[in-house]
Amino acid sequence: MSLDAALPELTAGAVAAAGRDLPERFVLILDSAAEGALPSGDAGGGRLRLECREVLRLLPGRRLVARVAVAGRPAILKLFVGPGARRYWARERRGCRLLAGAGVTTPGIVAELQSGADETRGAHRAHGLLLEYLPEASPVSAEDAASVARAAAQLARLHAAGCRHTDLHLENFLTVPGSATVYLIDGDGVRRCWSGVPGRRACRDDLGMLCAQCPPLADDRLSDVYAAYARERGWPTGGKSYAGNVARLAATTRVQRRRRLQRYLAKAQRECSEYVCRRNWRRHLLAVRDDWDDALAAFAEDPEAALRSGEVLKAGNSATVARVCLGGRVCIVKRYNLKSRWHAVRRVLKPMARFRLAWLNGQRLHLLRIPTARPLALLERRWGPLRGVAYLVMEDLGDLDLAAEVAARGLSEERLAQVVDIFRALQLAGLSHGDTKASNFLVGPAGVAVIDLDAMADSLAGQARDRRRFLANFDDRPDVRRRVAAAMAAAGLA
């Protein structure tokens, strides 16, 4: 019996019809294979069997990316289904060839696949590519300065060959353990510049977009990233022109980071690959898809029952906070109460309610890799446009806050550095917190994290108020206050 005999068998039409409800593992049956170096004997009778071992990316009804095995040989499958499948497949194939032709290190095409229309499901013809499998490959880490610089060098090769990549996020740059090579993938985003080699401004925009994928504190390394790019292009890596180019790259990176945040926060409020959105007349639910499970779904049906079973941490007039166990996972739930009818009216009149701001700011800090308790779900009770009580479900980072730790053990150099890094990251991102009392800085195994994001805003003026308010936490500890002030000044936080 073959290893895949017990797995369900799906045609391309069945994959398209399944939406997000695909099995974790299955066998994909394609009725024909086009050009390629497929293992012998795997497509007998015009049928190709692909054992899908892991779904890597799924756009329901449009595209499947999976780790597969063909006659025991591993490969990466990109399958395009539904309307426009042939167009997207041709664009992916053309982009992969452009990457290879530019001298960029990229996985090669193993085979090109086609499958006839599945009349029983009314599906369109499916098209696919089998790509070289990179064992244990993982995306370039934003904290890995050397790999980010190598990614910039690969981008330089692409530009020098007269091409650009329209989807420059770090998941499209892969590394393999034990190798210094960085692979650039996703041919769908590669475009040829018909006017020739892209101009310096276009190159800087692309390089700025790549750097914008890294957290704000990584802007300290922009000089190294630009140097790696410039060396590959044969540009100067010293002198006044070099310093000016690094300064312009820093400005471009800030602009690209803001644009990236705007796009990301728009996604955080609708149904997409990263977020779940369920909306009707009586409620509006948003959740992180990776954390969406039966326990969160049950909470959304009866949040008050979960609160009654939890440990109340704060019972205020405007908000109630409790620690709740949801399916074996401990979370913090913050209920935004209605204090009066006038309070309900004000929620309708406000362009953005505080709980929605907290949700968006939590996702913002998550994207920027600034430590925080990430919101996992937001449930808004509604009556049409009228907003009622809302529930914000967040990660639980424990009870110990910075005020309690300083009172018990003083302020260590490690904690001081972590706090200063948070303020620096917020400044580089152009954000002010709005309430920097020490109890809003939680201390856990991973370090210091900032919470209570209801008042966070894009405000340069607010940053100075944040620092003054934080220093006021230690008015009764002049020695601690002096150390914090000196550390902030040394980090460029006036």
Side-chain angles (χ1 to χ4, degrees):
M1 180 181 295
S2 64
L3 294 176
D4 60 15
L7 298 177
E9 295 187 353
L10 301 179
T11 63
V15 169
R20 295 191 183 276
D21 299 324
L22 275 179
E24 291 184 5
R25 296 182 61 175
F26 59 93
V27 174
L28 176 64
I29 306 295
L30 299 179
D31 60 11
S32 64
E35 302 175 2
L38 292 170
S40 59
D42 56 358
R47 302 177 79 235
L48 179 66
R49 297 173 60 86
L50 304 171
E51 182 190 341
C52 292
R53 295 178 173 176
E54 181 184 4
V55 175
L56 302 176
R57 182 167 174 79
L58 177 66
L59 292 181
R62 292 176 53 193
R63 185 171 70 202
L64 167 70
V65 182
R67 180 170 62 88
V68 303
V70 186
R73 174 180 171 182
I76 296 297
L77 169 70
K78 275 199 168 185
L79 183 71
F80 301 87
V81 296
R86 180 175 178 80
R87 176 163 53 92
Y88 293 125
W89 168 77
R91 193 165 69 186
E92 178 77 33
R93 181 182 60 172
R94 181 170 59 250
C96 289
R97 291 175 174 175
L98 286 173
L99 285 173
V104 173
T105 308
T106 186
I109 297 177
V110 175
E112 301 172 11
L113 311 175
Q114 294 184 28
S115 181
D118 187 343
E119 296 181 359
T120 61
R121 297 183 179 272
H124 294 256
R125 181 180 293 274
H127 299 267
L129 292 176
L130 278 181
L131 301 170
E132 176 189 357
Y133 174 67
L134 303 176
E136 301 182 37
S138 61
V140 164
S141 169
E143 284 73 31
D144 185 349
S147 291
V148 173
R150 294 187 189 105
Q154 295 286 5
L155 180 61
R157 290 184 183 181
L158 189 65
H159 285 163
C163 299
R164 299 180 69 182
H165 201 299
T166 62
D167 195 12
L168 289 169
H169 56 78
L170 291 181
E171 290 188 354
N172 280 335
F173 292 87
L174 302 180
T175 60
V176 176
S179 172
T181 303
V182 168
Y183 295 80
L184 178 55
I185 63 171
D186 193 10
D188 181 73
V190 179
R191 302 288 186 274
R192 182 183 293 280
C193 298
W194 298 110
S195 58
V197 177
R200 291 216 173 196
R201 182 170 181 176
C203 294
R204 189 168 60 246
D205 284 345
D206 286 355
L207 187 57
M209 176 55 73
L210 174 63
C211 295
Q213 313 300 307
C214 300
L217 291 180
D219 288 359
D220 295 341
R221 308 193 302 258
L222 285 178
S223 178
D224 297 335
V225 175
Y226 181 78
Y229 181 93
R231 281 193 296 270
E232 192 66 36
R233 296 295 303 272
W235 295 353
T237 56
K240 290 185 178 180
S241 64
Y242 172 76
N245 285 330
V246 173
R248 283 187 284 273
L249 175 60
T252 301
T253 298
R254 290 192 291 270
V255 171
Q256 296 285 29
R257 186 176 286 127
R258 286 195 294 270
R259 292 175 179 171
R260 180 176 181 242
L261 275 170
Q262 290 171 354
R263 293 191 294 268
Y264 185 78
L265 295 183
K267 287 174 55 180
Q269 300 180 81
R270 60 175 173 82
E271 183 83 11
C272 62
S273 59
E274 190 167 350
Y275 292 97
V276 173
C277 180
R278 303 283 188 269
R279 178 164 40 184
N280 57 36
W281 185 262
R282 300 300 301 273
R283 73 176 190 177
H284 189 166
L285 171 72
L286 296 167
V288 177
R289 187 173 296 280
D290 285 346
D291 294 289
W292 180 249
D293 55 16
D294 292 341
L296 264 182
F299 170 85
E301 294 299 323
D302 192 356
E304 288 299 324
L307 282 178
R308 287 192 297 270
S309 67
E311 173 193 0
V312 176
L313 305 177
K314 174 185 175 183
N317 190 29
S318 60
T320 301
V321 181
R323 177 172 284 113
V324 175
C325 185
L326 300 177
R329 175 176 53 190
V330 180
C331 302
I332 299 297
V333 177
K334 184 175 183 179
R335 182 181 66 195
Y336 291 79
N337 302 323
L338 280 177
K339 295 184 287 187
S340 64
R341 290 183 178 179
W342 175 238
H343 190 198
V345 172
R346 283 190 301 168
R347 279 191 178 174
V348 175
L349 298 178
K350 281 185 176 181
M352 187 77 72
R354 288 180 70 87
F355 45 78
R356 183 62 71 91
L357 283 172
W359 165 261
L360 291 176
N361 285 328
Q363 307 310 326
R364 184 200 306 263
L365 294 195
H366 170 74
L367 185 69
L368 293 173
R369 294 181 177 85
I370 299 175
T372 190
R374 187 187 186 186
L376 307 180
L378 172 65
L379 173 65
E380 302 176 19
R381 295 293 194 191
R382 289 197 170 194
W383 183 260
L386 302 179
R387 301 186 182 106
V389 174
Y391 306 83
L392 186 67
V393 182
M394 298 169 285
E395 295 173 329
D396 181 13
L397 300 183
D399 294 323
L400 181 63
D401 60 49
L402 190 64
E405 184 178 71
V406 171
R409 297 190 288 272
L411 182 62
S412 68
E413 289 298 323
E414 180 184 14
R415 289 284 180 261
L416 178 57
Q418 292 168 353
V419 168
V420 171
D421 279 349
I422 288 176
F423 277 97
R424 284 190 63 226
L426 290 174
Q427 176 174 282
L428 289 168
L431 298 172
S432 65
H433 181 274
D435 188 11
T436 52
K437 57 188 178 185
S439 58
N440 281 335
F441 291 77
L442 293 183
V443 178
V448 178
V450 62
I451 62 169
D452 198 3
L453 310 179
D454 299 24
M456 179 170 283
D458 294 296
S459 172
L460 295 176
Q463 294 171 2
R465 290 194 298 270
D466 282 352
R467 294 191 290 272
R468 287 195 297 269
R469 173 66 184 90
F470 187 77
L471 289 172
N473 289 300
F474 310 108
D475 284 344
D476 59 341
R477 298 284 301 271
D479 57 328
V480 174
R481 181 186 172 107
R482 282 194 298 270
R483 288 178 58 211
V484 174
M488 286 186 170
L493 302 169

